Amino acid sequence: ILFLLLNPTSFSQCYTWIAGSITYLYPAIIVLTYFYYLYKKKYFKFSKIEYLILLIVNIITPMFVENIGVAFVFGNLLWLFLNRHAEKKELIKFGILTIFSIGALILMLLSPGTAFRTTYELGFYNMSLIGRMFYNIPNLIGYAITRNIIVLIMMTLAIIYTLKKKNIKIYKLILFAIVPIFGIIQNIYLMIPFAIGNDLANKFAKFWGVFNVNNWYFIFYWILFVALFFYAIVYNFKDSKEKSFLIVLTLVAGVALVSMLVAPIWGERVAIFTEIILLIISLKIIKDCFNRKYNKLLISFMGVLLSYFIIMFSLIFIVQKDRDAYIKYQLQDEKVQEIEVYNHFITYVWTRAPWGDYHSNVFKNYYGIDEKISLKIVNHKFSLAFYDALKKLE
């Protein structure tokens, strides 16, 4: 349920967009499964078949994307350190796996694709190291915590639950919760599953001015926030093995995020790995608060959520079907010079229309449209009705 409650932009970039899911979601799941497997092993010892599978994972995983690759290698080194008292033979074997993961990461960082992105973001890389970090701090705060309000809510609940167990006074808990509450209020508009337009979105974001919790100077609060979340892990889990595993996961998630401070941010998908881990750990911390009598309520909520997604994707299907039929109808005219293309207005679809040269060319190839024919993006009747209603509200 929690993973379905990510904002529509994260949802579209990581779930419904094939390239985004392969590049970010799949390796996130692989890394999480990999370390969970290591945690569940009773002994730090590997059979030949295990070693072969782990070797393949260590070669492939760092090659998906930079930040998850760096986090994976860091996790390997950390796991090696935690098991430093294991048999020397097994340490050497795991060390070799780690070396392969480092080699794979270096290979990916030196790849033509990475070099192309470096050239593409030349303006960013011309900035100083400090300049890059200050530029990216608001992005990282937003992508990892505040823009996905479900992550912010769950982390806040985990911290408050822990502080309450420590008998911290109510007024202090309220003071602590002020900034997260502001973050939830400020970013609730991001849960709107419709393309509301950049101008309106910017109005929402700028309305708060200096009180916008994504501003760089709020980094000091968010450092405290993360430190308290880390403390919540240490305080709530008594089993040393489980505690060590969750600390490793949190640190790996942190490295995946912090490593993007000096690199161009490629949208909310860069934080999906971190968000998955934060949600899982938050849920583990507050699980004792749940009562079985609320199971029916959760099942009902899940039913409502599934109904909501059925409606959303049914609308997407209708728009797509109409788009295909309209393009086919226009192509019947041999003298056509311009093709009108319906724009998807529901944001659970990433790249909703053929914007830019690259997407236009791919779009034309897919539909068999001559490259000389221009494309014009137009609104579907559903989106026209939505935008008319939106104008009345303004």
Side-chain angles (χ1 to χ4, degrees):
I1 292 176
L2 294 178
F3 296 151
L4 292 175
L5 292 176
L6 295 179
N7 70 50
T9 304
S10 292
F11 193 102
S12 63
Q13 288 189 18
C14 300
Y15 298 164
T16 58
W17 183 33
I18 295 175
S21 59
I22 291 174
T23 309
Y24 292 91
L25 181 62
Y26 294 177
I29 295 170
I30 290 171
V31 174
L32 191 59
T33 304
Y34 172 81
F35 284 109
Y36 183 73
Y37 178 78
L38 294 179
Y39 158 67
K40 293 300 288 183
K41 282 188 67 65
K42 190 173 182 180
Y43 301 107
F44 189 76
K45 197 170 185 178
F46 309 98
S47 66
K48 289 181 180 179
I49 187 67
E50 280 181 310
Y51 194 73
L52 178 61
I53 293 171
L54 293 178
L55 179 61
I56 294 170
V57 171
N58 274 269
I59 292 173
I60 293 174
T61 305
M63 292 189 180
F64 278 97
V65 69
E66 293 91 335
N67 68 320
I68 293 181
V70 170
F72 182 78
V73 169
F74 172 78
N76 267 346
L77 292 170
L78 198 56
W79 203 261
L80 197 59
F81 174 77
L82 289 174
N83 291 277
R84 60 191 181 278
H85 299 303
E87 291 182 29
K88 186 176 180 180
K89 178 183 175 183
E90 297 302 323
L91 287 173
I92 292 172
K93 287 167 66 177
F94 195 82
I96 292 171
L97 292 178
T98 303
I99 290 170
F100 269 100
S101 70
I102 293 171
L105 177 62
I106 292 171
L107 190 63
M108 189 270 291
L109 292 174
L110 297 177
S111 68
T114 304
F116 172 77
R117 288 196 295 274
T118 302
T119 305
Y120 187 76
E121 296 286 346
L122 198 58
F124 178 84
Y125 283 107
N126 284 336
M127 297 167 64
S128 67
L129 191 64
I130 300 296
R132 292 185 215 169
M133 293 175 70
F134 272 98
Y135 178 84
N136 269 337
I137 282 172
N139 291 326
L140 253 61
I141 292 172
Y143 290 146
I145 302 175
T146 57
R147 288 174 64 86
N148 268 304
I149 60 174
I150 187 60
V151 179
L152 180 56
I153 290 170
M154 292 299 294
M155 290 181 73
T156 303
L157 289 175
I159 293 169
I160 290 176
Y161 171 74
T162 304
L163 295 178
K164 194 175 178 183
K165 284 175 71 175
K166 293 284 291 181
N167 295 318
I168 301 297
K169 293 182 179 179
I170 293 294
Y171 80 91
K172 291 183 179 179
L173 296 180
I174 294 171
L175 286 174
F176 163 77
I178 288 174
V179 174
I181 289 170
F182 262 81
I184 293 165
I185 296 170
Q186 290 171 15
N187 291 285
I188 192 74
Y189 77 94
L190 293 170
M191 297 302 292
I192 299 171
F194 307 108
I196 60 176
N198 290 331
D199 291 339
L200 189 57
N202 288 333
K203 284 181 183 177
F204 279 123
K206 291 179 179 179
F207 173 78
W208 299 94
V210 295
F211 296 103
N212 189 325
V213 298
N214 288 357
N215 287 327
W216 68 268
Y217 40 80
F218 274 96
I219 188 66
F220 302 108
Y221 173 85
W222 294 116
I223 288 173
L224 171 65
F225 184 85
V226 172
L228 286 172
F229 184 76
F230 197 83
Y231 173 75
I233 298 171
V234 175
Y235 180 80
N236 285 286
F237 298 100
K238 306 305 179 186
D239 181 77
S240 59
K241 186 178 179 182
E242 183 182 27
K243 183 186 294 185
S244 296
F245 170 63
L246 294 176
I247 288 173
V248 167
L249 276 188
T250 306
L251 291 174
V252 169
V255 168
L257 196 64
V258 173
S259 63
M260 294 305 295
L261 274 175
V262 295
I265 299 293
W266 290 86
E268 302 195 22
R269 56 191 179 272
V270 302
I272 186 65
F273 175 59
T274 303
E275 289 167 340
I276 287 173
I277 290 176
L278 293 178
L279 285 173
I280 290 172
I281 294 176
S282 297
L283 190 59
K284 283 185 69 67
I285 291 172
I286 64 174
K287 68 178 181 179
D288 292 337
C289 295
F290 291 103
N291 193 308
R292 287 190 176 182
K293 66 181 181 181
Y294 297 123
N295 284 352
K296 290 183 179 179
L297 187 63
L298 284 173
I299 292 170
S300 299
F301 178 74
M302 189 64 182
V304 172
L305 194 62
L306 288 175
S307 299
Y308 164 78
F309 279 114
I310 288 171
I311 293 170
M312 288 294 105
F313 283 94
S314 295
L315 290 172
I316 290 169
F317 175 78
I318 292 169
V319 173
Q320 183 62 42
K321 189 177 178 181
D322 289 351
R323 174 198 271 184
D324 293 344
Y326 189 37
I327 290 173
K328 186 177 180 181
Y329 170 76
Q330 293 174 89
L331 287 174
Q332 291 176 359
D333 182 359
E334 295 180 358
K335 297 180 180 180
V336 67
Q337 297 296 314
E338 183 180 73
I339 296 290
E340 292 186 343
V341 179
Y342 288 139
N343 178 28
H344 279 286
F345 74 108
I346 295 176
T347 53
Y348 285 115
V349 176
W350 185 243
T351 313
R352 301 182 307 278
W355 299 306
D357 293 338
Y358 172 78
H359 291 108
S360 293
N361 290 332
V362 172
F363 191 88
K364 288 177 183 179
N365 287 333
Y366 179 81
Y367 282 97
I369 301 171
D370 191 281
E371 61 181 17
K372 294 179 182 179
I373 297 175
S374 61
L375 301 176
K376 182 182 179 182
I377 300 170
V378 297
N379 288 319
H380 186 268
K381 59 184 179 183
F382 289 162
S383 53
L384 286 171
F386 170 74
Y387 293 132
D388 285 342
L390 202 60
K391 285 179 182 179
K392 290 177 182 178
L393 290 174
E394 291 179 7

